[in-house]
Amino acid sequence: MDQMVEQKKYLLFLGVPDSEFVKKTYGGYHNVFVSLLGDEGEQWDSYRVVDGEFPDEKDLEKYDGFVISGSSHDAFRDTDWILKLCDIIKKLDEMKKKVLGVCFGHQIIARVKGGKVGRARKGPELCLGNITILKDAVAPENYFGEEVPTSLRIIKSHQDEVLELPESAKLLAYSSMYEVEMYSIEDNFLCIQGHPEYNRDILIDILDRVLAGGHITEDFVATSKATLENNEADRKFWQKICKNFLKGQASFLV
């Protein structure tokens, strides 16, 4: 009987090149995402859209869900690859496909759906952050499961933010730094400003690289690294939320 179950297929749009650390430690960001979201027997394909790699539009139909990663690029720019990704998001919206947006992905979906994206008003964030969940807003879709927490910890790495939500969006979480930390649109878009796929080692590597590039100060790095002391992201809970959304497993993952 099991052999008759059709293989689930997912597609990952990568807006970022692999760092040397991620390549050496995990084999690339594709594997980082699949370790969070994948299950045995599934097919996960990825396209490095930042390098102009895109799937053929006629192939989109065969996928059960999509993930748009973070990027060092601004989601509000009109670069060719960003405009092409905007067109694909519109197409996926018309098809009512499930799309999980992470960081840049969260922002570009807001842009496509009529929201406003720009530089973060309170400045960039590279740290372990705490976001407040709007518990009354998570129903009826509820990707959280039976216990909806008041807050969740997540690794943050961004300098832009969603300034205005699309009219069709429902705010799910906010923080002291940003008004829009998480939102959903109907049951086909779930968008998260933080990085559910990141761990402390990936964040530390990013901090060290950005410092070496002269983009942040040593004091900024020290403050950011201090957020990781005796503390960690709620990665398992984020895994549950993202899988519940992508795979409709609200009763499966507790």
Side-chain angles (χ1 to χ4, degrees), residues 233-250:
D234 293 307
R235 199 170 185 270
K236 282 283 181 202
F237 208 104
W238 285 111
Q239 181 179 50
K240 176 171 77 168
I241 292 168
C242 295
K243 280 189 173 186
N244 284 350
F245 164 71
L246 276 176
K247 306 176 188 189
Q249 295 174 317

Side-chain angles (χ1 to χ4, degrees), residues 126-127 155-156 199-207 228:
L126 274 162
C127 64
I155 289 174
K156 310 291 293 298
N199 58 32
R200 65 169 56 230
D201 293 337
I202 291 174
L203 176 61
I204 288 169
D205 173 63
I206 291 170
L207 282 165
L228 296 167

Side-chain angles (χ1 to χ4, degrees), residues 22-229:
V22 165
K23 205 183 297 181
K24 189 176 79 177
T25 313
Y26 307 104
Y29 278 116
H30 172 97
N31 293 349
V32 172
F33 272 99
V34 175
S35 75
L36 179 78
L37 304 172
D39 287 302
E40 199 176 335
E42 295 173 348
Q43 177 181 323
W44 280 81
D45 298 332
S46 60
Y47 287 84
R48 191 126 1 221
V49 290
V50 68
D51 292 336
E53 288 179 13
F54 283 88
D56 196 310
E57 283 196 15
K58 70 177 187 328
D59 291 332
L60 297 175
E61 184 56 57
K62 70 182 183 186
Y63 292 98
D64 297 282
F66 299 80
V67 181
I68 305 173
S69 82
S71 179
S72 60
H73 295 260
D74 301 322
F76 51 84
R77 300 289 179 203
D78 290 336
T79 319
D80 286 350
W81 74 269
I82 290 176
L83 293 176
K84 185 161 184 181
L85 185 56
C86 286
D87 286 340
I88 285 183
I89 293 167
K90 287 174 191 166
K91 177 83 71 178
L92 295 175
D93 190 21
E94 289 165 13
M95 299 164 79
K96 293 299 175 198
K97 290 288 191 179
K98 294 263 189 184
V99 186
L100 174 67
V102 173
C103 197
F104 168 88
H106 155 101
Q107 296 160 9
I108 197 170
I109 289 168
R111 170 187 176 169
V112 168
K113 293 294 289 178
K116 190 177 173 189
V117 180
R119 279 283 178 268
R121 289 164 290 197
K122 292 186 179 178
E125 207 172 25
L126 274 162
C127 64
L128 178 64
N130 207 45
I131 70 172
T132 302
I133 308 299
L134 289 162
K135 294 176 82 164
D136 293 342
V138 300
E141 297 87 0
N142 191 8
Y143 311 119
F144 289 74
E146 287 181 24
E147 292 291 322
V148 181
T150 305
S151 64
L152 282 171
R153 291 170 303 229
I154 191 167
I155 289 174
K156 310 291 293 298
S157 175
H158 65 109
Q159 63 177 355
D160 300 335
E161 68 171 318
V162 174
L163 301 169
E164 289 175 21
L165 272 177
E167 279 184 25
S168 55
K170 179 167 66 170
L171 184 67
L172 299 179
Y174 65 93
S175 70
S176 57
M177 285 285 281
Y178 309 103
E179 290 173 13
V180 182
E181 289 283 5
M182 184 180 185
Y183 68 92
S184 63
I185 300 175
E186 296 177 347
D187 64 350
N188 61 311
F189 288 110
L190 180 66
C191 301
I192 303 164
Q193 178 57 74
H195 285 269
E197 80 282 12
Y198 278 6
N199 58 32
R200 65 169 56 230
D201 293 337
I202 291 174
L203 176 61
I204 288 169
D205 173 63
I206 291 170
L207 282 165
D208 291 344
R209 284 189 288 116
V210 176
L211 176 64
H215 303 294
I216 51 176
T217 64
E218 289 189 10
D219 284 349
F220 184 96
V221 172
T223 303
S224 295
K225 288 184 177 178
T227 64
L228 296 167
E229 287 174 17

